[in-house]
Short mmCIF file of all heavy atoms in Angstrom, two decimals:
data_model
loop_
_atom_site.label_atom_id
_atom_site.label_comp_id
_atom_site.label_asym_id
_atom_site.label_seq_id
_atom_site.Cartn_x
_atom_site.Cartn_y
_atom_site.Cartn_z
N ASN B 248 22.94 29.56 -39.00
CA ASN B 248 24.37 29.26 -38.87
C ASN B 248 25.07 30.16 -39.86
O ASN B 248 25.01 29.93 -41.07
CB ASN B 248 24.61 27.78 -39.19
CG ASN B 248 26.10 27.47 -39.28
OD1 ASN B 248 26.93 28.21 -38.77
ND2 ASN B 248 26.43 26.36 -39.92
N LYS B 250 28.17 30.60 -40.33
CA LYS B 250 29.46 30.06 -40.81
C LYS B 250 30.52 31.17 -40.72
O LYS B 250 30.44 32.01 -39.85
CB LYS B 250 29.32 29.49 -42.21
CG LYS B 250 28.11 28.57 -42.36
CD LYS B 250 28.15 27.76 -43.59
CE LYS B 250 26.84 27.01 -43.74
NZ LYS B 250 26.93 25.87 -44.62
N HIS B 333 29.21 20.22 -36.54
CA HIS B 333 28.74 20.54 -37.90
C HIS B 333 29.60 19.77 -38.91
O HIS B 333 30.80 19.57 -38.70
CB HIS B 333 28.83 22.04 -38.15
CG HIS B 333 28.14 22.47 -39.39
ND1 HIS B 333 28.69 22.32 -40.64
CD2 HIS B 333 26.90 23.01 -39.59
CE1 HIS B 333 27.83 22.76 -41.55
NE2 HIS B 333 26.74 23.18 -40.94
N GLU B 335 30.90 20.59 -41.59
CA GLU B 335 32.08 21.32 -42.08
C GLU B 335 33.22 21.22 -41.08
O GLU B 335 34.39 21.14 -41.45
CB GLU B 335 31.72 22.79 -42.38
CG GLU B 335 30.84 22.89 -43.62
CD GLU B 335 29.88 24.07 -43.63
OE1 GLU B 335 30.04 25.00 -42.81
OE2 GLU B 335 28.95 24.04 -44.47
N GLU B 405 21.31 17.02 -40.66
CA GLU B 405 21.73 17.75 -41.85
C GLU B 405 22.41 16.81 -42.84
O GLU B 405 23.62 16.54 -42.71
CB GLU B 405 22.73 18.85 -41.46
CG GLU B 405 22.18 19.87 -40.51
CD GLU B 405 22.93 21.19 -40.63
OE1 GLU B 405 24.16 21.19 -40.52
OE2 GLU B 405 22.26 22.20 -40.87
N ALA B 409 22.93 17.97 -48.83
CA ALA B 409 21.93 19.04 -48.95
C ALA B 409 22.46 20.37 -48.40
O ALA B 409 21.77 21.39 -48.51
CB ALA B 409 20.65 18.65 -48.20
N ILE B 410 23.66 20.37 -47.82
CA ILE B 410 24.16 21.60 -47.20
C ILE B 410 24.80 22.50 -48.25
O ILE B 410 25.77 22.10 -48.90
CB ILE B 410 25.15 21.29 -46.07
CG1 ILE B 410 24.45 20.51 -44.96
CG2 ILE B 410 25.76 22.58 -45.53
CD1 ILE B 410 25.36 20.15 -43.80
N GLY B 411 24.27 23.68 -48.40
CA GLY B 411 24.85 24.68 -49.29
C GLY B 411 24.75 24.31 -50.76
O GLY B 411 25.41 24.93 -51.61
N THR B 412 23.97 23.31 -51.09
CA THR B 412 23.91 22.83 -52.47
C THR B 412 22.62 23.25 -53.16
O THR B 412 22.50 23.09 -54.38
CB THR B 412 23.95 21.29 -52.50
OG1 THR B 412 22.84 20.80 -51.72
CG2 THR B 412 25.24 20.75 -51.92
N GLY B 449 18.26 20.47 -41.36
CA GLY B 449 19.09 21.50 -41.98
C GLY B 449 19.59 21.01 -43.31
O GLY B 449 19.88 19.82 -43.49
N GLY B 450 19.73 21.93 -44.24
CA GLY B 450 20.22 21.58 -45.58
C GLY B 450 19.40 22.33 -46.61
O GLY B 450 18.33 21.87 -47.00
N SER B 451 19.90 23.53 -46.98
CA SER B 451 19.25 24.35 -48.02
C SER B 451 17.80 24.67 -47.69
O SER B 451 16.97 24.79 -48.60
CB SER B 451 19.36 23.67 -49.39
OG SER B 451 20.72 23.53 -49.77
N VAL B 452 17.49 24.84 -46.39
CA VAL B 452 16.13 25.28 -46.04
C VAL B 452 15.92 26.69 -46.61
O VAL B 452 16.80 27.54 -46.53
CB VAL B 452 15.92 25.30 -44.50
CG1 VAL B 452 14.57 25.92 -44.15
CG2 VAL B 452 16.04 23.91 -43.91
N LEU B 470 18.00 24.24 -38.91
CA LEU B 470 19.29 24.90 -38.82
C LEU B 470 19.56 25.39 -40.24
O LEU B 470 19.57 24.60 -41.19
CB LEU B 470 20.38 23.92 -38.35
CG LEU B 470 21.79 24.50 -38.17
CD1 LEU B 470 21.81 25.66 -37.18
CD2 LEU B 470 22.77 23.41 -37.67
N VAL B 471 19.72 26.69 -40.36
CA VAL B 471 19.69 27.34 -41.67
C VAL B 471 21.01 28.06 -41.93
O VAL B 471 21.42 28.90 -41.13
CB VAL B 471 18.52 28.37 -41.70
CG1 VAL B 471 18.42 29.02 -43.07
CG2 VAL B 471 17.20 27.70 -41.31
N GLY B 472 21.65 27.73 -43.03
CA GLY B 472 22.92 28.38 -43.36
C GLY B 472 22.67 29.60 -44.23
O GLY B 472 22.32 30.68 -43.73
N GLY B 473 22.82 29.43 -45.54
CA GLY B 473 22.76 30.55 -46.48
C GLY B 473 21.59 31.49 -46.27
O GLY B 473 21.77 32.72 -46.25
C1 LIG Y 771 24.22 24.67 -42.39
O1 LIG Y 771 25.23 25.31 -42.52
O2 LIG Y 771 24.01 24.09 -41.32
C2 LIG Y 771 23.27 24.60 -43.50
C3 LIG Y 771 22.22 23.83 -43.38
O3 LIG Y 771 23.53 25.37 -44.60
P1 LIG Y 771 22.54 25.68 -45.83
O4 LIG Y 771 21.22 26.07 -45.24
O5 LIG Y 771 23.21 26.81 -46.57
O6 LIG Y 771 22.45 24.44 -46.65
#
Side-chain angles (χ1 to χ4, degrees):
N248 171 19
K250 313 194 187 200
H333 191 281
E335 289 151 14
E405 299 205 306
I410 297 180
T412 58
S451 298
V452 173
L470 182 58
V471 182

